[in-house]
Amino acid sequence: MDFKLVHHFATLILLLLFSASASSKMNLTDKEALLSFKALITDPSSSLSSWNESTKVCKWQGVYCTKEQERVVGLDLQGLQLQGSISPQIGNLSYLSFLYLQDNQLSGTIPSQIGSLSSLNMLNISSNQINGLIPQSILNCQELTVLDLSNNLITGSIPQELELLSKLQIMKLGQNRLNGVIPNSIGNLSSLTFLDLATNTLTGGIPNELGDLHKLQHLQLSLNHLTGNVPPSLYNLSSLVFFALAANSLHGEIPGDIGFRLPNLLNFHFCVNEFTGPIPPSFHNITRIQSLRMAHNFLVGSVPPGLNMLSELTMYNIGYNRLVSSGTTDGLHLITSLTNCSNLEFLSFEGNHFEGVIPDSVGNLSTRLSKLYMGHNDLFGSIPKSIGRLTKLKLLNINNNLISGEIPQEISKLSELQMLGLAGNRLKGSIPVALGNLSKLNNLDLFDNSLTGSIPVTFARYQLLQSLDISSNKLNGSIPKEIFSIASLSSLMNLSRNQLSGPLPEEVGRLQNVVAVDLSDNFLSGDIPESIGKCHSLQTLSVANNSFTGSIPKQIADLKGLQSLDLSSNQLSGPIPTEFGKLQGLQSLNLSFNDLQGVIPNEEYGFGGRASTRGDVYSYGVMLLGLLTGKSPTHELFQQDLSLEKWVRKAFPDRIMEVMDPQLLTTSDEFRNESLMMISPEKQHGCMLSMVKVGLDCATESPEARIGMRDVLHQLKGIKDILMKPPS
């Protein structure tokens, strides 16, 4: 045999043996890395049970390998309820191309060793509990096309040198705790089609360089602390399909030709900012647009014509702006225009200056409509019966308008309704008995109308109701015991300021989950039932201004969470129960204008001594804060440890205008001083701020720290003098 041939053959065998040995060693590295990963993981569903010594790595669940060398190129462990942290050994999977760990419960930080994965193409760790910083080493993964770290607890700033990830197409960092500014370098990621930085605490302006992302289709920057104008370059990104900058502090006008410059737009979300100017008519040229959200801005003018062209529209929200309409029957032409939008699910134009009659065409709106907000406008006339055709409605809000007439029976056909708001209008007549058919209702607001008759017994059918407010009407008769069978009531039962008479039924004790009960300003009589002590969740109870007699039931002391108790202006007699000393959480107590004897146990509602005027000062402060904010102490917003006073104090002074009643913030040239000169908006707002401070000084938690009533009157008089004094 030829010696050379033998030598070459032997060399080939050695090479093959070496290659096999190297491949085996590499496979061992992958296996050890995965077992190290598993060692730091808790696997409640045993999804990784196949990861053991007796099974080949490439047979393990979620592991993907190359066919030739059997190297691990992919790891897909999404949605397996995994807990624990990500092992640094993950960096030893040198062939890894994709890593999917989303929708688990992983915690800890992203290991810096992830930067060793030079072949990594897709990284998704979204929807976990990952904390710490984005490691700088991630910039070494220059093959990345997808980076998704959204919905975690990641802190720190976004790395500046992002242009190193030049192949990136999708970047999702939203729903974290990132701070700092948006890096200008993002504008160099020319392949980017999807950018989501929403729901962080990013500050500063939007970089003009983002306008260089000519392939961008999805831009989501909502819920940050961004300021300034929107760079004009963003409005030139003709590829944009989703454009969302909501809930920031951005201002300026929306360009009038936006509909021509962004022809592919399907979703436009600019709500909760400070945008001014009119709604651009060119929006209505984007006939395929699906969602328009511009609520809570300072937009002016009227709704431009052409809404009927938007046949794909699912959401139209222009609430809480300064938009107007005029006329009577045609004042709400936008409703008629929207009847052509057969996919419409959400419509809101509340909190504007629309006036006119709700047209019969409201019943021709989309059969898919689930939420309709028309409140806080100047609508008048009656509620059309045609509204009963909107059978998919879950929410109907017509609060705070000038609506008159009776509540139409047809509303009872809205069987899917969960929230009905007709409060603050001029409705009259009785409450339809058929309203009890709305079995899915969880919130009913009929307060501040002129409704008469009795409370329908059919309300007992509301077994999902959480809040019932029918106060400030002219309802009469006795309180039907059946309504106390609404076990689901958890937020509020308010029957105050009516003409209800008779006793308070023993069945009141069945309200074991409700936080606030207000029966004040009626003609109720008899004893306060001892069963009131079974309402264990009560924080606020008022039966003031009635004709209750007998003694105060000591069982009230069983209401351990009680914060406010008002029994004033009745005909109660006998001693003040010593058990009241147990009410350590009580902040406001009013027993005035009764025939009671003794002292309040434990000074100032839990600290020993006699009753003092400090309690009255506290109540006055709460009342003043209520007037300024438009919120009652029993509002559903105030639950658990949050009270009206704490809510206002948290906003004082820098963000106080955010909690003020919007109607007070609408400055007017009708406000003039004693010389008939207009009072400036700055002076109006300054005086409101001073009044808030008076309310807070009255309602402070410590009785000793509260100011006296004489000081209250002196300060309020001083505020009035400043307001009315002519400028020097």
Side-chain angles (χ1 to χ4, degrees):
M1 181 180 288
D2 188 331
F3 178 76
K4 283 187 176 180
L5 185 61
V6 172
H7 177 73
H8 286 308
F9 185 68
T11 303
L12 181 60
I13 291 173
L14 286 171
L15 286 172
L16 289 171
L17 287 171
F18 178 79
S19 177
S21 174
S23 178
S24 176
K25 188 176 290 186
M26 290 296 189
N27 287 344
L28 184 61
T29 302
D30 289 353
K31 184 176 184 179
E32 289 176 348
L34 291 176
L35 289 175
S36 296
F37 176 87
K38 182 183 178 183
L40 297 182
I41 294 294
T42 302
D43 180 18
S45 60
S46 301
S47 301
L48 306 185
S49 58
S50 60
W51 290 31
N52 56 60
E53 295 286 352
S54 61
T55 311
K56 279 190 173 184
V57 170
C58 296
K59 299 288 186 182
W60 292 358
Q61 178 174 341
V63 176
Y64 295 81
C65 298
T66 58
K67 288 183 179 179
E68 297 82 10
Q69 297 173 299
E70 294 192 332
R71 297 303 306 275
V72 176
V73 294
L75 202 55
D76 185 355
L77 303 177
Q78 58 182 303
L80 299 180
Q81 304 174 23
L82 302 178
Q83 302 167 9
S85 59
I86 301 172
S87 168
Q89 301 299 319
I90 201 83
N92 291 336
L93 298 173
S94 54
Y95 273 60
L96 203 65
S97 174
F98 63 89
L99 177 58
Y100 299 149
L101 299 176
Q102 65 264 36
D103 299 311
N104 283 293
Q105 299 169 34
L106 300 173
S107 54
T109 61
I110 301 171
S112 60
Q113 289 81 355
I114 206 135
S116 301
L117 302 176
S118 57
S119 299
L120 195 62
N121 184 259
M122 289 180 278
L123 175 61
N124 193 336
I125 317 179
S126 63
S127 300
N128 280 285
Q129 298 166 23
I130 301 296
N131 53 54
L133 308 176
I134 299 174
Q136 194 74 12
S137 63
I138 207 165
L139 299 174
N140 297 329
C141 303
Q142 294 181 17
E143 296 298 314
L144 273 178
T145 60
V146 175
L147 175 61
D148 190 349
L149 309 178
S150 60
N151 195 16
N152 279 289
L153 307 172
I154 299 172
T155 55
S157 58
I158 301 170
Q160 291 289 331
E161 299 84 9
L162 281 171
E163 66 264 24
L164 295 174
L165 303 178
S166 59
K167 297 182 180 180
L168 209 57
Q169 298 174 21
I170 296 174
M171 181 162 68
K172 298 182 181 181
L173 305 179
Q175 293 178 277
N176 279 291
R177 298 176 180 177
L178 296 169
N179 53 38
V181 300
I182 300 174
N184 297 346
S185 57
I186 292 180
N188 294 325
L189 301 175
S190 58
S191 297
L192 210 60
T193 62
F194 194 111
L195 177 60
D196 181 359
L197 306 178
T199 319
N200 283 289
T201 55
L202 300 173
T203 54
I206 300 173
N208 186 62
E209 288 80 358
L210 294 189
D212 295 331
L213 301 174
H214 298 298
K215 295 182 181 179
L216 199 64
Q217 298 176 19
H218 186 112
L219 178 59
Q220 171 59 287
L221 304 178
S222 301
L223 287 158
N224 279 290
H225 299 155
L226 301 174
T227 55
N229 285 291
V230 179
S233 59
L234 291 190
Y235 295 113
N236 291 327
L237 295 175
S238 59
S239 57
L240 273 182
V241 173
F242 187 100
F243 193 9
L245 306 178
N248 283 288
S249 298
L250 300 167
H251 51 79
E253 293 193 12
I254 303 169
D257 59 352
I258 186 172
F260 302 110
R261 294 161 71 179
L262 301 178
N264 296 303
L265 206 58
L266 296 182
N267 298 275
F268 181 81
H269 298 171
F270 270 39
C271 51
V272 196
N273 277 289
E274 299 166 13
F275 291 108
T276 53
I279 298 174
S282 65
F283 267 132
H284 302 163
N285 291 330
I286 313 174
T287 56
R288 293 177 58 244
I289 201 162
Q290 297 172 1
S291 179
L292 277 167
R293 298 175 60 185
M294 295 173 279
H296 292 275
N297 280 290
F298 302 108
L299 301 178
V300 297
S302 58
V303 177
L307 276 175
N308 58 305
M309 303 295 292
L310 309 183
S311 59
E312 300 298 316
L313 202 61
T314 61
M315 170 176 281
Y316 191 65
N317 188 354
I318 54 172
Y320 291 99
N321 279 286
R322 297 174 177 175
L323 301 168
V324 299
S325 69
S326 59
T328 54
T329 56
D330 61 345
L332 291 180
H333 63 85
L334 82 155
I335 286 182
T336 304
S337 297
L338 287 166
T339 56
N340 194 43
C341 305
S342 58
N343 295 310
L344 194 65
E345 297 175 1
F346 185 110
L347 171 59
S348 172
F349 53 89
E350 68 174 338
N352 281 288
H353 303 294
F354 288 108
E355 55 180 281
V357 175
I358 302 173
D360 284 335
S361 60
V362 71
N364 298 330
L365 288 170
S366 168
T367 54
R368 298 183 180 183
L369 192 67
S370 66
K371 294 183 179 179
L372 177 55
Y373 293 87
M374 299 188 282
H376 293 274
N377 279 293
D378 297 312
L379 309 181
F380 50 87
S382 60
I383 301 171
K385 295 179 180 180
S386 62
I387 207 160
R389 297 202 295 266
L390 302 176
T391 54
K392 290 291 170 59
L393 268 188
K394 294 181 179 178
L395 181 147
L396 175 60
N397 185 341
I398 319 180
N399 289 336
N400 297 98
N401 278 288
L402 306 171
I403 301 294
S404 57
E406 298 188 357
I407 300 173
Q409 294 274 350
E410 285 73 13
I411 285 183
S412 63
K413 297 178 181 178
L414 305 178
S415 58
E416 298 295 315
L417 212 57
Q418 297 175 16
M419 186 277 174
L420 176 59
L422 305 177
N425 281 289
R426 299 174 179 177
L427 294 168
K428 60 183 181 180
S430 59
I431 301 173
V433 172
L435 227 54
N437 296 335
L438 302 177
S439 59
K440 296 184 180 180
L441 213 58
N442 57 52
N443 193 304
L444 177 59
D445 286 340
L446 303 178
F447 62 89
D448 197 13
N449 279 290
S450 298
L451 298 170
T452 55
S454 58
I455 299 173
V457 176
T458 54
F459 277 12
R461 299 174 187 167
Y462 294 147
Q463 293 307 305
L464 297 176
L465 199 69
Q466 298 175 18
S467 176
L468 171 65
D469 194 340
I470 53 177
S471 61
S472 299
N473 280 289
K474 299 176 182 178
L475 300 173
N476 53 42
S478 59
I479 302 175
K481 63 182 181 180
E482 288 83 0
I483 72 166
F484 297 114
S485 66
I486 308 175
S488 58
L489 272 178
S490 57
S491 176
L492 172 68
M493 175 183 274
N494 192 348
L495 314 181
S496 66
R497 295 184 295 283
N498 277 291
Q499 299 170 16
L500 301 171
S501 58
L504 177 58
E506 284 283 339
E507 286 77 5
V508 68
R510 298 175 68 178
L511 298 178
Q512 297 187 14
N513 300 309
V514 73
V515 169
V517 171
D518 192 348
L519 308 175
S520 61
D521 294 281
N522 279 290
F523 302 120
L524 301 174
S525 58
D527 292 347
I528 298 175
E530 295 180 356
S531 61
I532 197 78
K534 296 179 181 178
C535 302
H536 299 302
S537 300
L538 267 185
Q539 296 178 17
T540 300
L541 173 62
S542 177
V543 297
N545 292 302
N546 279 289
S547 299
F548 285 112
T549 55
S551 59
I552 300 174
K554 62 182 181 181
Q555 287 80 3
I556 289 179
D558 294 334
L559 306 176
K560 305 299 183 185
L562 200 63
Q563 298 176 11
S564 176
L565 176 62
D566 191 347
L567 307 179
S568 64
S569 299
N570 280 285
Q571 299 169 28
L572 300 172
S573 59
I576 299 170
T578 57
E579 288 80 2
F580 275 17
K582 300 176 184 178
L583 296 173
Q584 295 298 314
L586 200 62
Q587 299 175 10
S588 174
L589 175 63
N590 193 347
L591 306 178
S592 61
F593 299 102
N594 281 289
D595 191 19
L596 300 168
Q597 294 122 26
V599 297
I600 298 174
N602 292 350
E603 181 185 277
E604 225 29 66
Y605 327 140
F607 301 104
R610 290 182 175 270
S612 75
T613 57
R614 298 291 182 184
D616 295 330
V617 170
Y618 180 92
S619 299
Y620 184 84
V622 172
M623 180 193 72
L624 182 57
L625 295 178
L627 289 172
L628 294 170
T629 62
K631 296 276 193 300
S632 73
T634 59
H635 191 276
E636 60 184 10
L637 178 67
F638 309 124
Q639 299 182 13
Q640 297 177 344
D641 293 332
L642 184 64
S643 64
L644 171 62
E645 177 264 334
K646 289 179 180 177
W647 181 63
V648 175
R649 195 175 296 279
K650 188 176 180 181
F652 185 84
D654 296 334
R655 296 185 297 104
I656 196 61
M657 294 308 167
E658 296 177 16
V659 302
M660 296 293 283
D661 187 338
Q663 294 185 12
L664 291 179
L665 297 180
T666 305
T667 54
S668 171
D669 57 8
E670 293 179 3
F671 295 133
R672 298 177 180 273
N673 60 29
E674 292 170 346
S675 299
L676 298 181
M677 297 180 67
M678 191 181 81
I679 302 173
S680 70
E682 292 78 13
K683 182 180 281 190
Q684 293 178 41
H685 289 176
C687 288
M688 279 191 277
L689 190 69
S690 299
M691 291 176 70
V692 171
K693 186 178 185 304
V694 173
L696 291 174
D697 288 344
C698 291
T700 189
E701 191 167 334
S702 170
E704 290 76 17
R706 295 173 197 158
I707 61 176
M709 206 63 202
R710 188 182 299 274
D711 291 330
V712 172
L713 295 174
H714 178 74
Q715 290 188 33
L716 290 179
K717 185 179 183 301
I719 293 169
K720 177 192 171 187
D721 291 344
I722 291 172
L723 186 68
M724 301 306 293
K725 182 180 179 181
S728 57

